[in-house]
Amino acid sequence: GNGLIGLIRTAIDDSQKILALYNFTRESRSIPLEQLPENLQTWKELILAVDMRFTQDSLILPPYAACWLSKTP
């Protein structure tokens, strides 16, 4: 594997979605935006301790990072 895990949780009434992304490696990992939910840049990061960043076509997760992104309609 590549050391990345991603999970998405949707509230039963569809009022919220949370995407949890984890990097279990000692290197930063790039995730292509085409593999992630649309408009992810507008979602709110809930942990706030992660130095994740977006490039034009990917999300960069630092080593050993966990990030939770929330979308509410």
Side-chain angles (χ1 to χ4, degrees):
N2 63 6
L4 295 172
I5 293 177
L7 309 164
I8 194 157
R9 176 208 170 264
T10 302
I12 201 162
D13 64 357
D14 208 33
S15 63
Q16 183 183 38
K17 291 184 183 190
I18 294 178
L19 173 64
L21 296 170
Y22 302 93
N23 177 4
F24 292 100
T25 72
R26 68 177 81 180
E27 289 108 24
S28 292
R29 295 290 185 187
S30 174
I31 306 168
L33 291 180
E34 64 191 31
Q35 295 178 4
L36 297 168
E38 191 173 324
N39 296 320
L40 189 63
Q41 297 93 323
T42 65
W43 293 31
K44 181 180 178 185
E45 212 292 306
L46 299 176
I47 296 177
L48 302 176
V50 176
D51 188 24
M52 64 163 208
R53 62 186 165 85
F54 289 96
T55 65
Q56 184 173 349
D57 58 356
S58 64
L59 169 67
I60 309 297
L61 276 180
Y64 305 109
C67 98
W68 292 3
L69 296 147
S70 172
K71 177 185 179 187
T72 51

